[in-house]
Amino acid sequence: MTADARASDWATERLGAIATARATGDHVVARQILGEIAVKLPLLFQVPGVWPVLAKPPPRFSGVDESKAYFDYLLDLLRLADAACRIADESGDTIRAAALAGAIAQTLDFRLAAHSDQDIGPLMRLRDGLMRRALPEGARNFLQPLPAFDPARTRPRLAVLLRSLAEDPESTSLLPFFSGAREAGFAVTLFTFHDHHSGFRPLVEAVVDSIVEIPMDIVAAARRIRNEDADLLLFASDITAKPSVGAFLGMLRLARLQLTAVSTLVTTQAPTVDVYLGSPGHRAIGAEAEFSERYVDVPRPGFAFRFAPRPLPAQRFDRAGLGIDDDAVVLVSGANHTKLHRDLLDTWVRILSGAPRSVLLLYPFPKHFAVDTELRSHLERPFVEAGIDLRRIRLMPQLDGRDVVKNLLGICDLGLDSFPYPGVTTVVDAIDARLPTIALRGRTLRANQGAEILDSIGLGELIAPDVDAYCQLAISYANDPQRRLDARARLDAAMLSPPMALDPDRFAAATATVLAGLVAEMRKTAPMPGATRAPSSVTPPRHADIGKLETIMLSRPDGTRICVHRMRAPGPDLLLLGGYGRSSPLRKPIGATVLAFCKANRLGLAALEFRGQGGSSGALQRQTPADMRDDVLAVCRELGLCRTIGLGASLGGWVMMAAQATEPTLLRGALLLAPAIDWDRHFLLPAISVGRGIVQPDGDVAFPSDSLLLGGSFMTGIEALRLPAGDIGMTGPLRILHGGHDRIVPLATSAEFVARHGAHLPMNLRVLPAEGHGLSAGDTAQSATAIGEELAALIAACGAGSEA
């Protein structure tokens, strides 16, 4: 057998192994095989035909762990796709590179990636690059900016791109975003690919000047929209979940300012999408930091629904007809079948076990969806294994329309929202039916939707901070009829005036004011009459207001973009550096703590995201310690940050101290949370020696038990962070907070640091005996409280309050 034949057989076997692993939900093994192929046969990724095998999404997840493993698998897959396209480009074969990018872009489906609570920014950045490579040649003519806004234009132009005029969650929730625009003085043109002549079309006709059906062709569609000379373009359909003509149009410059909203629940990471219209309630949990777009507030909860009138439903339900006892407690969920993973079902098993009189109704089937044996088995298995009588679990038939859903909800006692991917229409339907519903607080905008709806109507008592609390809350309400009556009475009171989610006229008027404000900003920066008109910037600047968070992208000499979230204030700046990993520090619980502290004390904030983290480009595993240190120093120089107050978490604490040793004017004081100083000596090398850390063929080191993959570049360049033996160039004060049960950065790390440097600067070490490494993210109430206390003490010691 020839070497080529052996390589072909090996590749076929490995691809089959990936398919087998993914069919069983073992994305960890699939990811390991991906790495093996990347080392032994990297050219395989340049074969377009392998991508359908590699990229096929699972039908649903078995649990949260699988969703995280799939997310990591997909991220690695996109990196390999990006590398394959770059190799093809560098070989000079641009046609093959574009064809390969096109095959990959048309294969990848991101719908289930959004069902996790992970930082989706890195995926979206890679997706953006691949889709841009796959643009047809003629579309590249639409990458250039439009002429600047004409201040003589008295009626600004708003274009809206809506996939179809069928009545669905996208059309009903996005219509109020533009239905008040014409009355506010805009000329409104709606572009659609499918002009359904349904009962919903008259609602659209009433609020726009014209409806234009455009072809399913990227270049032809772009040309028609661009000819509109629009000032604003609202992408009213999702442009991130899967490849589509609309998604490719989002890569182009078709209007002066381009916007997305609730139909697109994640950042596009596209420089041609300028604004995300979102709820201030999501901003409060730090979700603004997820977006490369400028985050602009619309009224809570960030959307409203406008439904077409429908005839009274023929399909009606009552308890007797369903064989449910009058004294049973009926729990209900309409979460789509793709959201019903094993962890969620196991949570509902716990609730039914704790509420013995309860019955659970599920209506998870969208229109035209057939219930097959595999899905029924998946839904019923956890209850069977727990010994729960299947008569307590009812899979409802497809429900013909929203009024039928509300009729079903009318015989129920308590709603259960899904997690980590909650419902929007299902929770709105529940509150409209006056049904109290339990929801879980999310860490991302997409995971916080259910909680934000309840918050927006003043029912925060129905929101749980974690899964255990979700169970306890649901069991408490299920077992306490009076508590349910009280919640329903509060819901009735909240509904006396329609809440914003169900008041499309009020939402439309408020959103029209927001759109007019965006045009007013363009008008302010437009050239004076008679002046030479220059093209507007492809990416309009994000405006920085005092006390508001803006996102800044700073370029490094090697082309890497470093993302910094900046909030200006009268007082000095706090510099926040997070630990090693893909998540932005503002996406962790510490982000909300720090933001609140800075606003309360009138401090500025600069939260830097390392390469491959949050909104920054580059590969996390390929950055070096010197990159991390030098990026911090470069960002501080470019933003004019000097004598700042530092907050360094985990590895960010070590990087911060190394940057301070290099540039002694950087900090006036710092708080370090479980600082990973000399981490190689305290954790990495000991873990490798006992087999806890596994060196990979490419030099990376995996720590499976700690869900950590450390890049080989970090290991080989770690000396760049080594601190001098004595003075590190800081006069203090310096405070350290460390958990007594930290197994990632042992407490001995901070103790040794104090022993080595405590004689040279005022230093205080505080130990929280019960905390682990999660302290560095502020992920418990105790650690969050302690971080706030330590920051207050640091500010006082620095003499850097709001009057500074």
Side-chain angles (χ1 to χ4, degrees):
M1 182 181 290
T2 66
D4 286 347
R6 286 194 298 272
S8 176
D9 288 347
W10 182 85
T12 301
E13 186 276 327
R14 291 285 79 193
L15 288 175
I18 285 181
T20 300
R22 302 216 37 237
T24 59
D26 196 344
H27 307 290
V28 173
V29 168
R31 188 180 176 205
Q32 291 171 346
I33 299 171
L34 266 187
E36 189 181 346
I37 295 173
V39 171
K40 293 186 178 180
L41 201 61
L43 292 179
L44 185 64
F45 298 108
Q46 295 190 48
V47 179
V50 308
W51 286 95
V53 176
L54 297 174
K56 182 180 179 181
R60 69 191 65 83
F61 295 128
S62 62
V64 173
D65 286 345
E66 186 192 344
S67 75
K68 292 178 179 177
Y70 172 70
F71 189 95
D72 289 339
Y73 169 83
L74 191 56
L75 186 58
D76 281 358
L77 190 62
L78 260 70
R79 287 172 175 151
L80 291 168
D82 180 66
C85 291
R86 279 192 285 107
I87 291 169
D89 260 342
E90 290 164 3
S91 69
D93 193 345
T94 55
I95 295 176
R96 184 166 64 91
L100 177 60
I104 295 169
Q106 293 293 349
T107 302
L108 292 167
D109 187 322
F110 292 86
R111 284 174 292 185
L112 276 186
H115 283 212
S116 72
D117 204 0
Q118 303 289 93
D119 178 6
I120 206 164
L123 279 181
M124 292 294 106
R125 282 194 300 278
L126 289 164
R127 166 192 174 273
D128 178 70
L130 287 166
M131 291 186 69
R132 285 181 185 282
R133 289 176 182 274
L135 284 169
E137 191 60 39
R140 301 182 189 280
N141 298 326
F142 303 104
L143 295 173
Q144 299 303 313
L146 278 76
F149 178 77
D150 183 356
R153 178 173 285 179
T154 57
R155 195 179 184 201
R157 296 177 184 175
L158 170 65
V160 179
L161 179 61
L162 185 62
R163 179 175 52 86
S164 81
L165 296 190
E167 185 175 9
D168 59 27
E170 281 191 342
S171 57
T172 53
S173 63
L174 264 294
L175 178 57
F177 276 88
F178 60 88
S179 59
R182 189 168 65 170
E183 189 171 335
F186 284 82
V188 184
T189 302
L190 184 134
F191 295 96
T192 185
F193 299 112
H194 305 290
D195 187 358
H196 290 79
H197 290 270
S198 66
F200 191 72
R201 192 182 198 277
L203 297 183
V204 179
E205 289 178 329
V207 297
V208 302
D209 292 281
S210 60
I211 296 174
V212 178
E213 188 167 0
I214 52 177
M216 294 288 289
D217 175 271
I218 297 169
V219 175
R223 183 179 299 113
R224 178 60 187 86
I225 297 173
R226 183 74 176 254
N227 287 343
E228 193 67 18
D229 192 31
D231 301 305
L232 305 180
L233 169 59
L234 173 65
F235 290 97
S237 297
D238 186 15
I239 56 173
T240 57
K242 58 182 180 178
S244 64
V245 175
F248 279 105
L249 292 176
M251 307 287 155
L252 306 176
R253 177 55 63 181
L254 304 178
R256 293 173 178 84
L257 199 71
Q258 302 188 167
L259 311 88
T260 58
V262 69
S263 63
T264 299
L265 289 174
V266 302
T267 176
T268 65
Q269 292 290 319
T272 46
V273 180
D274 310 303
V275 169
Y276 187 86
L277 300 173
S279 169
H282 297 308
R283 183 196 295 275
I285 65 165
E288 180 186 16
E290 302 170 35
F291 291 88
S292 61
E293 300 82 3
R294 174 186 170 196
Y295 193 97
V296 172
D297 290 343
V298 292
R300 300 182 74 177
F303 59 85
F305 283 94
R306 188 183 295 280
F307 301 103
R310 295 172 61 91
L312 289 175
Q315 191 180 18
R316 302 186 68 83
F317 299 98
D318 56 48
R319 291 197 176 200
L322 294 175
I324 298 174
D325 294 340
D326 288 340
D327 62 347
V329 179
V330 181
L331 313 178
V332 64
S333 172
N336 189 293
H337 65 96
T338 60
K339 301 178 183 179
L340 299 181
H341 55 81
R342 180 62 190 253
D343 288 347
L344 179 62
L345 296 174
D346 284 343
T347 302
W348 290 347
V349 165
R350 291 170 59 188
I351 294 170
L352 264 65
S353 298
R357 293 296 304 159
S358 61
V359 174
L360 177 62
L361 304 186
L362 300 177
Y363 60 102
F365 311 119
K367 196 174 181 181
H368 309 308
F369 186 88
V371 183
D372 59 23
T373 302
E374 187 277 330
L375 178 58
R376 183 176 293 275
S377 175
H378 166 76
L379 295 176
E380 294 179 346
R381 188 179 304 117
F383 299 95
V384 171
E385 292 174 356
I388 291 176
D389 190 337
L390 284 182
R391 287 176 295 182
R392 296 177 63 192
I393 314 299
R394 307 295 177 87
L395 296 185
M396 301 302 296
Q398 290 177 356
L399 305 183
D400 185 21
R402 182 169 182 268
D403 290 327
V404 177
V405 170
K406 288 175 60 180
N407 173 252
L408 175 68
L409 297 177
I411 68 169
C412 298
D413 297 296
L414 188 67
L416 299 176
D417 193 17
S418 55
F419 62 82
Y421 200 60
V424 174
T425 55
T426 50
V427 178
V428 169
D429 287 346
I431 65 170
D432 198 14
R434 312 304 197 268
L435 179 68
T437 297
I438 305 298
L440 186 67
R441 174 76 68 201
R443 296 186 302 116
T444 63
L445 183 146
R446 64 188 184 279
N448 196 55
Q449 290 290 319
E452 174 60 7
I453 295 168
L454 294 175
D455 261 338
S456 73
I457 59 172
L459 287 177
E461 69 266 25
L462 296 172
I463 303 170
D466 54 48
V467 175
D468 287 340
Y470 176 98
C471 279
Q472 293 163 8
L473 201 59
I475 291 170
S476 172
Y477 275 89
N479 288 333
D480 190 338
Q482 187 58 49
R483 195 172 186 188
R484 295 197 303 275
L485 284 173
D486 290 345
R488 197 178 287 267
R490 287 192 294 277
L491 184 51
D492 285 339
M495 297 290 287
L496 288 175
S497 296
M500 188 63 78
L502 290 165
D503 194 343
D505 291 332
R506 187 157 55 105
F507 185 88
T511 304
T513 300
V514 173
L515 299 179
L518 294 172
V519 171
E521 291 177 359
M522 287 193 287
R523 195 179 295 277
K524 284 180 183 178
T525 58
M528 296 296 291
T532 302
R533 294 178 61 193
S536 61
S537 168
V538 172
T539 305
R542 274 63 166 164
H543 294 268
D545 297 323
I546 296 296
K548 290 192 175 181
L549 208 62
E550 63 170 333
T551 300
I552 301 171
M553 303 300 292
L554 301 176
S555 296
R556 300 287 286 124
D558 61 359
T560 303
R561 296 186 308 161
I562 302 299
C563 180
V564 184
H565 302 286
R566 183 85 163 94
M567 183 175 73
R568 302 178 189 277
D573 293 295
L574 190 150
L575 173 64
L576 174 61
L577 303 181
Y580 192 87
R582 298 190 181 100
S583 294
S584 163
L586 285 187
R587 290 278 309 284
K588 298 176 181 179
I590 190 177
T593 298
V594 171
L595 275 171
F597 184 89
C598 288
K599 289 179 178 179
N601 291 275
R602 301 180 70 200
L603 299 177
L605 174 66
L608 182 146
E609 295 170 348
F610 294 119
R611 301 177 183 219
Q613 183 182 86
S616 294
S617 64
L620 175 70
Q621 270 75 40
R622 303 284 80 83
Q623 72 177 330
T624 68
D627 290 334
M628 302 175 82
R629 178 200 63 201
D630 295 345
D631 289 345
V632 170
L633 292 171
V635 163
C636 289
R637 291 186 192 110
E638 187 156 348
L639 296 182
L641 300 177
C642 180
R643 299 284 293 160
T644 62
I645 296 163
L647 198 163
S650 190
L651 184 60
W654 191 9
V655 174
M656 182 171 281
M657 290 297 97
Q660 172 65 23
T662 304
E663 180 52 72
T665 62
L666 178 65
L667 302 175
R668 70 168 69 183
L671 170 61
L672 306 181
L673 307 178
I677 296 164
D678 292 336
W679 196 34
D680 54 332
R681 298 171 182 170
H682 289 104
F683 174 80
L684 301 177
L685 297 178
I688 292 170
S689 69
V690 298
R692 184 173 163 191
I694 304 169
V695 180
Q696 307 295 297
D698 58 1
D700 294 350
V701 185
F703 300 86
S705 62
D706 302 300
S707 301
L708 173 67
L709 179 66
L710 197 68
S713 301
F714 182 89
M715 296 294 293
T716 58
I718 207 163
E719 291 300 317
L721 298 184
R722 204 71 73 196
L723 301 178
D727 188 1
I728 58 175
M730 182 173 173
T731 57
L734 192 144
R735 304 183 72 87
I736 302 173
L737 195 60
H738 213 123
H741 283 179
D742 195 331
R743 60 188 244 120
I744 302 296
V745 179
L747 177 58
T749 306
S750 287
E752 181 181 303
F753 177 69
V754 172
R756 289 173 57 197
H757 301 284
H760 299 277
L761 71 162
M763 191 181 300
N764 180 77
L765 170 61
R766 177 180 173 185
V767 179
L768 298 184
E771 294 290 329
H773 195 61
L775 175 147
S776 65
D779 65 357
T780 68
Q782 292 79 8
S783 61
T785 299
I787 290 168
E789 293 170 348
E790 291 299 308
L791 278 173
L794 177 65
I795 297 299
C798 289
S802 59
E803 68 275 9

